[in-house]
Amino acid sequence: MKKKYKIKGLGCANCAAQMEEKIKKIKGVKNANVSFMTENLKLEVEDEDKLDEILDMAQKIITSIEPDTELIRG
Protein backbone atom coordinates (compact mmCIF):
# COMPACT_ATOMS: atom_id res chain seq x y z
CA MET A 1 0.00 0.00 0.00
CA LYS A 2 1.33 3.43 -0.97
CA LYS A 3 0.53 6.68 0.83
CA LYS A 4 1.71 10.27 0.60
CA TYR A 5 2.05 12.69 3.53
CA LYS A 6 3.08 16.33 3.93
CA ILE A 7 6.05 17.16 6.18
CA LYS A 8 5.58 20.65 7.62
CA GLY A 9 8.70 22.67 8.43
CA LEU A 10 11.31 20.57 6.65
CA GLY A 11 14.46 22.71 6.81
CA CYS A 12 17.20 21.10 4.72
CA ALA A 13 17.86 18.51 2.04
CA ASN A 14 20.45 16.69 4.16
CA CYS A 15 17.91 16.28 6.97
CA ALA A 16 15.37 14.92 4.47
CA ALA A 17 17.92 12.34 3.29
CA GLN A 18 18.63 11.28 6.89
CA MET A 19 14.90 10.95 7.59
CA GLU A 20 14.39 8.84 4.47
CA GLU A 21 17.26 6.51 5.35
CA LYS A 22 15.96 5.90 8.87
CA ILE A 23 12.27 5.58 7.89
CA LYS A 24 13.21 2.90 5.34
CA LYS A 25 14.56 0.82 8.26
CA ILE A 26 11.22 0.75 10.13
CA LYS A 27 9.83 -2.78 10.23
CA GLY A 28 6.96 -3.07 7.74
CA VAL A 29 8.17 -0.30 5.42
CA LYS A 30 8.78 -1.49 1.86
CA ASN A 31 10.00 1.87 0.61
CA ALA A 32 10.11 5.53 1.64
CA ASN A 33 10.98 8.75 -0.14
CA VAL A 34 11.35 12.11 1.61
CA SER A 35 11.42 15.07 -0.79
CA PHE A 36 12.87 18.32 0.51
CA MET A 37 11.58 20.25 -2.52
CA THR A 38 7.94 19.18 -2.15
CA GLU A 39 8.04 18.53 1.62
CA ASN A 40 6.44 15.13 1.04
CA LEU A 41 6.90 11.65 2.44
CA LYS A 42 5.94 8.86 0.05
CA LEU A 43 5.55 5.67 2.02
CA GLU A 44 4.97 2.10 0.92
CA VAL A 45 4.04 -0.32 3.69
CA GLU A 46 3.52 -4.09 3.77
CA ASP A 47 0.49 -4.14 6.08
CA GLU A 48 -2.11 -1.35 6.23
CA ASP A 49 -3.07 -2.42 9.76
CA LYS A 50 0.39 -1.35 10.99
CA LEU A 51 0.22 2.08 9.31
CA ASP A 52 -0.51 4.10 12.48
CA GLU A 53 2.36 2.42 14.31
CA ILE A 54 4.71 3.09 11.38
CA LEU A 55 3.61 6.74 11.18
CA ASP A 56 4.23 7.16 14.92
CA MET A 57 7.77 5.82 14.49
CA ALA A 58 8.31 8.00 11.41
CA GLN A 59 7.23 11.09 13.38
CA LYS A 60 9.73 10.26 16.14
CA ILE A 61 12.49 9.94 13.55
CA ILE A 62 11.49 13.20 11.87
CA THR A 63 11.45 15.20 15.12
CA SER A 64 14.71 13.63 16.30
CA ILE A 65 16.38 15.10 13.21
CA GLU A 66 14.41 18.38 13.01
CA PRO A 67 12.53 19.09 16.28
CA ASP A 68 10.07 21.64 14.81
CA THR A 69 9.04 19.41 11.90
CA GLU A 70 5.65 17.69 11.78
CA LEU A 71 4.27 14.81 9.74
CA ILE A 72 0.77 15.78 8.60
CA ARG A 73 -1.55 12.77 8.53
CA GLY A 74 -4.37 13.16 6.05
Side-chain angles (χ1 to χ4, degrees), residues 2 16 21 33 45 47 59 66:
K2 295 180 181 180
E21 184 181 322
N33 177 269
V45 297
D47 184 358
Q59 178 64 65
E66 280 195 20

Side-chain angles (χ1 to χ4, degrees), residues 1-13:
M1 178 187 77
K2 295 180 181 180
K3 292 279 189 177
K4 184 175 168 182
Y5 301 94
K6 194 77 172 163
I7 302 177
K8 184 179 175 184
L10 191 54
C12 78

Side-chain angles (χ1 to χ4, degrees), residues 7-50:
I7 302 177
K8 184 179 175 184
L10 191 54
C12 78
N14 184 48
C15 294
Q18 289 178 42
M19 290 172 192
E20 179 178 306
E21 184 181 322
K22 290 182 178 186
I23 291 170
K24 283 181 177 180
K25 293 178 182 177
I26 296 173
K27 186 177 179 181
V29 172
K30 284 185 177 179
N31 196 18
N33 177 269
V34 177
S35 171
F36 170 67
M37 295 299 291
T38 62
E39 294 188 328
N40 284 327
L41 164 63
K42 292 180 184 175
L43 192 61
E44 185 176 357
V45 297
E46 295 171 4
D47 184 358
E48 188 174 351
D49 293 337
K50 305 240 187 231

Side-chain angles (χ1 to χ4, degrees), residues 26-27 52-62:
I26 296 173
K27 186 177 179 181
D52 284 335
E53 183 180 329
I54 290 169
L55 290 174
D56 288 344
M57 286 188 268
Q59 178 64 65
K60 287 178 184 175
I61 290 167
I62 289 167

